[in-house]
Amino acid sequence: MNIEQDQAKQVIVGNGFFKLGEFEKAIDIYTKIIDQLESKYQNIEQNDNENNNDDENKDEVKMMRLDENDRKELTRLYTNRSICYHKLKNYKLSLNDANKAIEYDLNNTKAYYRSGYANYMLDNYLDALTTLKKCDETITIGCLLYTSDAADEE
């Protein structure tokens, strides 16, 4: 069994714990997989630091180097872990994970929704409103893309 298959099985186990209300166990599993995926890119980041690459663009360069499948998986894992923290009423960690998911996918509606809701629960009303507006925009864009794709198939 390769690493991707093992991670996929672990995600299923984590999702099962979530459905059972075992949020801490789900968080542990999601965290383990996140750490595995992100560690793949730490060596690249260390090399960049040794070569004194511009700190201002460091995160942007890291994102460009991410494999598309890893980016999608990290987005999913962060949104999953965010909802677990939400269920535990740890809105600060829920917000952190939702925002991390947004870093990986700027069009992820769930991540914007979870970020907006966590901001609301933390009394960050302006941030909540701004984020929820962005959530609404991603829904609109997604609907337009879906409608466009459906029209192309006719």
Side-chain angles (χ1 to χ4, degrees):
M1 177 182 323
N2 66 28
I3 292 173
E4 288 82 13
Q5 290 171 329
D6 182 52
Q7 288 172 345
K9 286 184 179 181
Q10 289 298 310
V11 169
I12 292 168
V13 171
N15 293 347
F17 281 131
F18 176 83
K19 290 175 185 172
L20 293 172
E22 298 284 341
F23 305 120
E24 293 92 352
K25 290 180 181 178
I27 287 169
D28 290 343
I29 289 174
Y30 297 144
T31 300
K32 178 183 169 190
I33 303 168
I34 288 168
D35 291 346
Q36 287 173 350
L37 286 170
E38 289 187 336
S39 71
K40 288 170 55 175
Y41 299 95
Q42 284 178 346
N43 290 337
I44 293 170
E45 198 169 312
Q46 287 173 349
N47 288 337
D48 287 346
N49 290 338
E50 290 171 8
N51 294 330
N52 295 323
N53 285 352
D54 188 7
D55 282 342
E56 186 177 315
N57 296 323
K58 186 171 75 172
D59 289 338
E60 192 175 311
V61 169
K62 180 182 174 184
M63 290 297 173
M64 289 186 332
R65 290 182 175 156
L66 277 172
D67 175 83
E68 186 63 28
N69 291 329
D70 288 346
R71 184 189 310 257
K72 287 178 182 178
E73 190 62 17
L74 284 164
T75 301
R76 181 169 67 135
L77 290 163
Y78 275 111
T79 55
N80 286 0
R81 197 170 71 174
S82 176
I83 193 65
C84 290
Y85 285 128
H86 168 85
K87 294 287 189 177
L88 295 170
K89 298 188 184 335
N90 189 334
Y91 301 114
K92 186 170 182 160
L93 290 178
S94 178
L95 175 63
N96 290 343
D97 277 1
N99 288 341
K100 190 69 174 177
I102 292 167
E103 286 179 32
Y104 285 115
D105 181 358
L106 295 173
N107 295 311
N108 189 287
T109 304
K110 279 186 187 177
Y112 282 109
Y113 175 77
R114 293 197 178 128
S115 177
Y117 193 87
N119 270 309
Y120 176 79
M121 296 305 291
L122 293 167
D123 298 331
N124 302 331
Y125 301 118
L126 185 57
D127 289 340
L129 181 62
T130 302
T131 306
L132 290 171
K133 282 183 179 179
K134 186 66 177 171
C135 176
D136 186 50
E137 289 172 20
T138 61
I139 291 170
T140 303
I141 290 168
C143 289
L144 290 172
L145 291 174
Y146 176 76
T147 305
S148 174
D149 288 346
D152 289 343
E153 293 174 6
E154 292 179 3

